[in-house]
Amino acid sequence: MSVAGKVKEVLGAIKDAAESSGRDPATVRLVGVTKTKPPEKVMEGYEAGLRLFGESYIQEALPKMGALPSDIEWHMIGHLQSNKAKLAVGAFSLIHTLDRPSLAQELNRAALARGVRVKVLIQANLAGEVSKHGTDAEGAVTLAKRAFEWPGLEISGLMTIPPYEDDPEESRKHFRALRELRRRIDSLGLDGVKMEHLSMGMSNDFRVAVEEGATLVRVGSLIFGERGQEI
């Protein structure tokens, strides 16, 4: 199936999952994940109607941005090194992977220097996987409570990557835990914190994520093919 066909299929699945759980499909946005994909492949997604794309590597993303239409919205969805924070500010409209105070400090410094406010999500590693980045639930609460220290940032929600399972139902408990963590942080009424987004769900489990409240689902291989096996 073509990229356009895959985009249509994924959007249809998002719509079905949202409606079956009593949600408005318009509250869920599809992030086309294009890390390792060339600009030509991104353009296939663009021509299929996608305007939101996620990248994981700064050095790879910046040249793509210059070669592609200016109305594309770019999200940073990969681990961000503190020394790359300055490059990310101004390039991405949302950074999904804030997971430590040192990164918040660097992003804040760069944002203030540019006179902008950067929207970020706190990445929560709720399963405690040592192979994945992200803070635990208490660390996420602490980051949110410290938001007043970083006036250049707006904490806009949470992100998680659950352990990969063949059965997507195994991800449900992690998505529910992230939703509960959002409720907990939201109840604190913190300045500079708006728990607007839950970024969760990828190619194998995005339907379950939508059922559990995802507002952003990150889908790459299902649309563009596995690395080295592009559609």
Side-chain angles (χ1 to χ4, degrees):
M1 189 183 296
S2 66
V3 166
K6 286 292 189 179
V7 168
K8 183 178 180 180
E9 185 178 76
V10 171
L11 289 174
I14 289 172
K15 181 176 184 291
D16 290 344
E19 290 178 345
S20 69
S21 54
R23 299 185 61 199
D24 180 355
T27 63
V28 187
R29 297 188 70 194
L30 170 59
V31 183
V33 177
T34 49
K35 63 181 181 182
T36 77
K37 305 301 181 186
E40 296 77 19
K41 188 59 62 174
V42 182
M43 274 305 299
E44 290 184 41
Y46 182 90
E47 290 166 356
L50 287 182
R51 293 295 182 271
L52 173 55
F53 294 92
E55 288 282 333
S56 294
Y57 311 111
I58 292 281
Q59 295 94 326
E60 179 189 334
L62 295 180
K64 284 186 194 177
M65 293 176 182
L68 290 161
S70 60
D71 62 336
I72 289 177
E73 180 180 345
W74 296 96
H75 287 192
M76 180 65 185
I77 62 171
H79 177 68
L80 185 58
Q81 295 175 306
S82 295
N83 63 1
K84 300 288 197 312
K86 183 167 65 174
L87 296 174
V89 171
F92 297 95
S93 62
L94 182 63
I95 295 170
H96 290 224
T97 51
L98 174 64
D99 61 357
R100 60 199 187 280
S102 60
L103 177 58
Q105 290 163 6
E106 291 303 316
L107 288 169
N108 179 66
R109 183 177 292 115
L112 294 179
R114 291 178 63 99
V116 298
R117 199 156 189 234
V118 179
K119 289 189 175 185
V120 299
L121 307 181
I122 297 172
Q123 182 177 357
N125 182 356
L126 300 180
E129 285 187 283
V130 296
S131 62
K132 288 195 175 83
H133 296 285
T135 184
D136 61 15
E138 294 309 314
V141 173
T142 298
L143 279 172
K145 286 181 175 179
R146 293 184 62 182
F148 71 92
E149 299 178 27
W150 307 306
L153 305 185
E154 180 180 304
I155 296 176
S156 301
L158 303 171
M159 181 270 233
T160 198
I161 306 172
Y164 179 85
E165 302 283 355
D166 289 332
D167 181 1
E169 280 295 325
E170 294 297 320
S171 297
R172 193 179 295 276
K173 59 182 177 289
H174 302 293
F175 297 151
R176 286 179 174 171
L178 195 73
R179 188 178 65 194
E180 173 56 26
L181 181 59
R182 177 175 71 170
R183 186 207 61 77
R184 177 182 171 192
I185 293 173
D186 202 35
S187 71
L188 299 175
L190 301 168
D191 289 340
V193 178
K194 297 179 180 179
M195 287 285 107
E196 179 183 359
H197 289 298
L198 288 179
S199 172
M200 59 189 194
M202 297 189 292
S203 289
N204 65 310
D205 56 13
F206 72 89
R207 296 170 183 82
V208 175
V210 172
E211 292 171 357
E212 294 299 333
T215 63
L216 296 164
V217 294
R218 310 177 307 272
V219 180
S221 60
L222 193 59
I223 294 173
F224 299 102
E226 298 288 349
R227 186 181 304 181
Q229 298 178 345
E230 285 83 1
I231 294 172

